[in-house]
Amino acid sequence: MHYRTRSTPYRLSRTAIALAVLALAAQAAAQQADAASAATPAAAPMQKVEVTGSTIKRVASEMALPVTTVKADEFANAALTTVADVVTSMPVASTNVPSAAGAGTNMNMRGIGINRTLVLLNGRRMVNEPLSNGFVNVDMIPMSALNRVEVLRDGASSTYGTDAIGGVVNFITKRSYKGLNVTGQAVVPQASGGGREHRLSILGGIGDLEADGWNIYATVDTHKRSALDASDRPELSSPERLAELGIAPRAATGNYAQPANVFSPSTGITGNPYYASGCTAPYSTPALRNTCIQNANYYVLALPANAQTTFFTKGSLKLSEDHLVTAELLYAKEHITTQRAPSTTVGFNGAVAQITPSSPYYPGGSAGVPAMAGLNGSTLNVSWSVAELGPAIARDQQQATRLVLADEGRVGKWDYRLGFIYGAGERDSWFRQGYVNGLKLQAGVRNGILNPFGTQSAAGLAYLKEISADGGQIRHTTNLYTGIDLTVTRELMQLGGGALTLAAGAEFHHDANKDRALDGVIDVPYQNRLPSYASGSRNISALFIETDLPVTKELDFNIAARADSYSDFGNTVNPKASFRYQPARNLMLRGSASTGFRAPTLFDRYGYRLPGATALTTSRWDDPVLCPGTPGLAGTGKPVAGANPLIVCNAQLPVQQGSNPDVLPEKSRSLTFGVVLEPMRNMMLSLDYYNIHFRNSIGQLPQNAIFTNPAKYADLFVRNANGSLAYVKNTVMNLGDLRTSGVDVGFSYGFPRQPVGDFKIAMDGTYVHQFENQNEKDGAWISNLGRFGSVGSGNVSASPTYTFRWKHSLRLSWAKGDWFSQLTQNFNTGYHDLNNVAPEYFRDIKPYSVWNLTASYKGFKHINLTAGVSNLFDTEPPVTNSNSTAYANNIASPIGRAFNARVSYEF
């Protein structure tokens, strides 16, 4: 099967010319440069470096590509503790921090999906997170070894690979290091509870690369954050706030709770024997239909606990002035502890727990459980959350190993760069606490050993211990990446603006994935799946070429093309053309056009495929057939005759997730246009327009879209012979097209020097003009701009996404002698809430702004001190009706004001 892109002229003809980009060096730097120029008429030529987005080395100050650079010393200035903090602070990115899913931190440039952003380490790929095989977990990157981060804000499919649609993030480590540095950092929230962070790094190196011709350095970096329980911030999800938002628990019917709710199939009665006494605090509260509803916030984590350790070492040997050999080794490990509400009596494939009149715990029986009016002594269905077990806790571990051997030098007139890379990733998860065998749990209720309404007897506690699944392994997944690359460059001839330079290269890499859900998962609530095994692999070989044509000193063109051959998807060719035009010293224009091709990930195509349900919905919904109500508005439905409202109304319903053997590749095109201007000395202002459109987008249809329009997606509701819901099909699939456009804005100004010190202001922001998608091919366009939309975030989530109209990072800094201070604002505009609630509760989410303040002092010998306050004004996260916690935990931190301190000792 072959996929070919359209011609470059066609792509270029659709270039949407837009807005400008403007830039100027700081006044002090300019004055120093002028002075140096005057003192040294024959200055040495500027050193050329490789800029992210091109294989041709050039003077970095040319700014030919829309690249954002964040230097390592800026991390501490902005109170950034982890790599996750670094990428989250970038306006161009919609980034997901470590979550309860255990996946780690990923980058989502332009908000178009985590598997469309290419993450590199020193210009080469990293092994993907094993389970989804669609993104790099940036928690594995050694922060203490970083020199800078370069973010290429346009596509780079012709340079790094066909999947670099959203952009490229290149983490660049120190070239060499000599000495010893020990850095410790702590973050302490002002409010009590969890969320504390501690970080320690040791960096050491020997040898001077320039003087001795060799250098070896290594670093060990550890970071740990304690879990933050939702109960640590009760004000964020108080009953009063939930009621104001229309998501109050008591406004719905309870399902799984402690004490258990019951349903009588023979009489249709629903209720709870302890409803009259107010249910059992703190586990549950009264709800509709005489039921109790679980107090989810008593168990929910606002932030999961996570810890990571990275080891990185690099050795460099100069064989000559034109020949450098390097070796890099990275080993990283991360633990994330996830937590859910206690295990429930839901069984495999929807099996229902029952209690018979022979049980002493039957309502009105010998054990003293209150009687319920209207029961006729028949068997009851029981919906029980086993509070005695505590929350259901799982432990997720990831580890990654990466080895790179590289040789770069010069042979004759050719510069070359040769590299070999080996990467291996593993991800394992275990039941840690509160998990049991679901079928045996149901049997214990039916035979009268377990009390679903209160405290267990000694025999009941012993039985729970006997059926425990704790300590069992859930899953084992591995990823393997091996590759080799060669790039050669040389100057061919002189043009009016300099040398016409040619670069050519070849790559080959093998990607393999194995995923096994172990036997321990069967019949365990919250897993609800059979053991499985899946594996997949592919080979990708590529040839690419790039030419830099400086036609005049003012006008430069760059043309590149890449041909890739996939062992499972055939061939694709993707060109890229860019230009840089500087008609005056204080004005520069730039632009680019490129195409892309993204094959399904190994998980998308070859991952697990199981019959029946494999998970539960992320939110509560009404079964549109068995509990019809207002579509998309859970809790409004009424059960049909004979249906159990405890499992069909306002409930987490069974879904089938997994891969799709028929999923096809995506094809894309990207356009940028910008201008660089120097309006006045010591000021920079920039505007870069971008436009991205891709077809056959790969992802999961968001569950919000399915349940808001169940008639349209009726074929996704798979039912058993008796009409009960077997599952909602929510596997990976090709959706429709997606298109987005906007403007990246940059501004900086260095104020004239004052006796009290130097002041600077800088801002980076992104304005999104358009963001819309189709849920199916040729379907209606749905806007996701300034509202919860229906675009899933790739193969790790079916939750709806959100797109800010405007997002920026603003920095105000002051420096004098050994002192430095910076005030940073991170801001995003508001948006329409999800509003799957009654119309009277529809609302908009307000803009969100957080200020961080840091101050540092380096006047002590060998010691640098930094202290700061994160969330200076203790701003609460935005209030939302999109989840049961009532605050936007996907875009803001619930920690509140926190104090941080950093001590670095170097000798």
Side-chain angles (χ1 to χ4, degrees), residues 320-340:
S320 67
E321 285 301 316
D322 293 326
H323 196 175
L324 178 67
V325 177
T326 61
E328 301 174 11
L329 176 64
L330 168 68
Y331 177 76
K333 180 181 287 188
E334 178 174 26
H335 298 90
I336 299 177
T337 301
T338 65
Q339 179 173 309
R340 308 178 69 167

Side-chain angles (χ1 to χ4, degrees), residues 113-168:
I114 58 178
N115 36 28
R116 300 180 185 97
T117 299
L118 180 58
V119 175
L120 307 174
L121 181 62
N122 292 329
R124 289 185 169 93
R125 289 178 180 255
M126 296 184 65
V127 64
N128 281 336
E129 180 275 332
L131 188 57
S132 71
N133 190 244
F135 66 93
V136 170
N137 177 8
V138 299
D139 293 340
M140 301 296 188
I141 293 173
M143 186 170 182
S144 55
L146 292 180
N147 179 56
R148 66 188 186 276
V149 181
E150 293 183 349
V151 181
L152 177 65
R153 303 191 305 273
D154 72 344
S157 295
S158 62
T159 305
Y160 297 112
T162 62
D163 53 347
I165 295 174
V168 179

Side-chain angles (χ1 to χ4, degrees), residues 69 278 853:
T69 301
L853 177 65

Side-chain angles (χ1 to χ4, degrees), residues 480-757:
L480 180 66
Y481 179 95
T482 54
I484 187 169
D485 60 79
L486 171 65
T487 304
V488 295
T489 63
R490 67 162 294 175
E491 296 179 353
L492 298 180
M493 59 182 292
Q494 291 295 317
L495 299 180
L500 187 156
T501 305
L502 172 70
E507 288 184 13
F508 172 84
H509 74 257
H510 173 75
D511 194 4
N513 175 266
K514 294 182 180 180
D515 176 30
R516 182 183 295 278
L518 303 176
D519 292 346
V521 305
I522 190 169
D523 297 335
V524 177
Y526 290 145
Q527 296 303 312
N528 200 35
R529 56 180 294 176
L530 293 167
S532 64
Y533 174 77
S535 66
S537 65
R538 66 166 56 110
N539 296 326
I540 303 176
S541 54
L543 297 173
F544 57 89
I545 188 169
E546 179 182 357
T547 305
D548 191 59
L549 300 96
V551 180
T552 67
K553 292 182 178 180
E554 296 79 21
L555 180 62
D556 183 280
F557 289 101
N558 185 279
I559 300 174
R562 182 184 183 96
D564 288 83
S565 178
Y566 287 76
S567 60
D568 52 355
F569 283 104
N571 306 321
T572 177
V573 177
N574 292 278
K576 179 173 182 177
S578 62
F579 77 93
R580 172 187 178 276
Y581 177 54
Q582 188 171 359
R585 179 180 178 274
N586 60 353
L587 174 65
M588 182 185 74
L589 306 177
R590 64 184 174 197
S592 67
S594 63
T595 67
F597 172 100
R598 191 179 75 84
T601 69
L602 294 181
F603 173 87
D604 293 338
R605 183 83 173 192
Y606 307 110
Y608 69 84
R609 292 189 290 272
L610 294 173
T614 58
L616 298 175
T617 55
T618 54
S619 300
R620 298 180 185 275
W621 303 101
D622 294 334
D623 184 319
V625 173
L626 299 181
C627 187
T630 303
L633 186 52
T636 62
K638 295 186 181 299
V640 300
N644 182 353
L646 302 178
I647 62 175
V648 300
C649 298
N650 192 45
Q652 289 181 282
L653 301 175
V655 295
Q656 182 191 63
Q657 297 177 331
S659 65
N660 182 347
D662 300 319
V663 69
L664 299 175
E666 301 172 345
K667 291 187 284 188
S668 70
R669 65 112 178 101
S670 301
L671 308 170
T672 68
F673 189 85
V675 182
V676 179
L677 179 67
E678 177 184 339
M680 59 182 292
R681 178 173 286 272
N682 213 29
M683 178 179 287
M684 181 276 289
L685 174 64
S686 67
L687 297 144
D688 279 290
Y689 172 78
Y690 68 88
N691 187 302
I692 302 171
H693 186 159
F694 57 89
R695 303 191 301 276
N696 292 331
S697 62
I698 302 170
Q700 289 175 267
L701 187 64
Q703 293 168 12
N704 176 60
I706 296 173
F707 285 94
T708 301
N709 198 342
K712 178 179 180 181
Y713 300 109
D715 60 319
L716 299 181
F717 290 82
V718 180
R719 300 194 175 273
N720 299 312
N722 63 1
S724 62
L725 180 65
Y727 57 84
V728 179
K729 188 175 182 180
N730 199 206
T731 59
V732 172
M733 64 180 70
N734 285 107
L735 306 175
D737 291 10
L738 188 150
R739 58 193 182 193
T740 181
S741 62
V743 180
D744 294 327
V745 179
F747 171 80
S748 69
Y749 177 65
F751 293 90
R753 177 164 293 178
Q754 302 294 329
V756 295

Side-chain angles (χ1 to χ4, degrees), residues 255 306 352 467 501 508 697 854 878:
N255 40 41
N306 80 305
V352 177
I467 67 173
T501 305
F508 172 84
S697 62
T854 61

Side-chain angles (χ1 to χ4, degrees), residues 81 183-189 196-200 224 866-868 898-903:
T81 309
T183 299
Q185 192 167 3
V187 178
V188 180
R196 295 192 173 209
E197 296 183 62
H198 298 89
R199 178 171 168 256
L200 175 66
K224 183 177 182 179
T866 303
F899 305 99
N900 61 78
R902 183 177 186 270
V903 180

Side-chain angles (χ1 to χ4, degrees), residues 162-297:
T162 62
D163 53 347
I165 295 174
V168 179
V169 184
N170 190 7
F171 292 88
I172 301 173
T173 62
K174 302 177 189 298
R175 185 169 184 261
S176 65
Y177 182 82
K178 183 179 181 180
L180 180 66
N181 177 281
V182 179
T183 299
Q185 192 167 3
V187 178
V188 180
Q190 177 178 296
S192 61
R196 295 192 173 209
E197 296 183 62
H198 298 89
R199 178 171 168 256
L200 175 66
S201 65
I202 301 175
L203 170 66
I206 57 175
D208 189 306
L209 188 58
E210 300 303 325
D212 304 328
W214 63 276
N215 177 260
I216 299 175
Y217 74 88
T219 180
V220 176
D221 199 324
T222 65
H223 171 264
K224 183 177 182 179
R225 183 186 68 196
S226 61
L228 179 70
D229 295 326
S231 58
D232 291 335
R233 299 292 185 271
E235 68 280 2
L236 299 181
S237 52
S238 66
E240 293 76 17
R241 173 168 287 182
L242 295 174
E244 292 173 357
L245 298 172
I247 54 175
R250 48 177 80 235
T253 302
N255 40 41
Y256 297 96
Q258 165 70 0
N261 294 310
V262 299
F263 169 70
S264 172
S266 64
T267 65
I269 291 177
T270 302
N272 193 295
Y274 288 93
Y275 174 81
S277 59
C279 303
T280 304
Y283 309 120
S284 59
T285 58
L288 298 182
R289 294 192 178 98
N290 299 321
T291 61
C292 297
I293 194 166
Q294 185 172 262
N295 181 6
N297 290 332

